Amino acid sequence: MMMTRSALVQREHHWCLQLNGWCTYRAVRLYFKAVSRLGDGVFWYAMMAVLAVFGGEEGLHAAAHMAVVGGIAAILYRRMKGFFRRARPCHRDPAVRAWVAPLDEFSFPSGHTLHAVSFTLVALAHYPGFAVWLIPFTASIAVSRVFLGVHYPSDVLAATSIGATLAGIALWVVPGVSLLG
């Protein structure tokens, strides 16, 4: 049975309210705020710097690859936000509380998620052993955006797809680097 657009919007809004309510618990709120703050770029830039400085030629190559992908992701998500101009859940409904200050006005797509997914996939192509901590960290960044009231689940899902596509193209273009080993 196919749902109507209205039913999908209502269901997504319901999920926003439910997940956002979990942040009334201090531990949940602090965890997602910390993860989200690291996802602002702090973690990724630090990782690129460490790889470039201590990773030899491969680390420098990985950091440069991530930096280029990050720049393209920034341009892409900013243009998409300006085009779609979707109001954030916390701006649309006062019952959805923004537990962090949004970095910009619009919600679609999630820039945090788009960057986290694209950075993670490129990093894993260079350093597959990082998967054990990068995958949970990236998933936490993605879901934090809904819990914190600044994104809808569809913002995060779309950003995941866009980030994966962008990383796939970046890996296809650079010879000798692949997630397939």
Side-chain angles (χ1 to χ4, degrees):
M1 182 174 130
M2 189 165 221
M3 294 182 73
T4 66
R5 183 178 189 284
S6 175
L8 287 171
V9 168
Q10 286 178 339
R11 179 161 292 169
E12 184 169 49
H13 181 73
H14 171 77
W15 277 105
C16 284
L17 287 168
Q18 293 298 309
L19 297 176
N20 186 247
W22 278 91
C23 283
T24 58
Y25 297 101
R26 181 172 157 68
V28 172
R29 180 175 65 252
L30 292 178
Y31 174 74
F32 284 129
K33 285 177 85 169
V35 164
S36 185
R37 178 65 182 120
L38 289 170
D40 284 351
V42 174
F43 173 82
W44 304 113
Y45 303 136
M47 180 180 167
M48 284 183 252
V50 167
L51 290 173
V53 172
F54 299 108
E57 189 175 327
E58 176 60 22
L60 191 57
H61 184 226
H65 201 175
M66 290 173 69
V68 169
V69 167
I72 294 167
I75 292 167
L76 188 60
Y77 97 87
R78 284 185 182 123
R79 289 191 178 199
M80 290 181 75
K81 283 186 181 229
F83 179 79
F84 289 104
R85 304 176 68 83
R86 184 180 195 189
R88 293 182 179 275
C90 58
H91 295 156
R92 221 178 234 169
D93 181 356
V96 177
R97 180 172 176 183
W99 294 96
V100 293
L103 296 178
D104 54 45
E105 186 178 357
F106 302 113
S107 77
F108 184 87
S110 166
H112 279 73
T113 304
L114 196 156
H115 279 92
V117 169
S118 60
F119 283 148
T120 294
L121 293 175
V122 170
L124 292 181
H126 291 274
Y127 296 98
F130 288 3
V132 70
W133 52 276
L134 276 183
I135 291 172
F137 178 63
T138 295
S140 291
I141 289 172
V143 299
S144 78
R145 307 308 287 163
V146 180
F147 275 80
L148 294 171
V150 292
H151 282 287
Y152 294 98
S154 59
D155 298 338
V156 169
L157 291 172
T160 299
S161 296
I162 296 163
T165 301
L166 177 58
I169 292 167
L171 293 172
W172 177 69
V173 168
V174 175
V177 182
S178 172
L179 282 169
L180 303 176

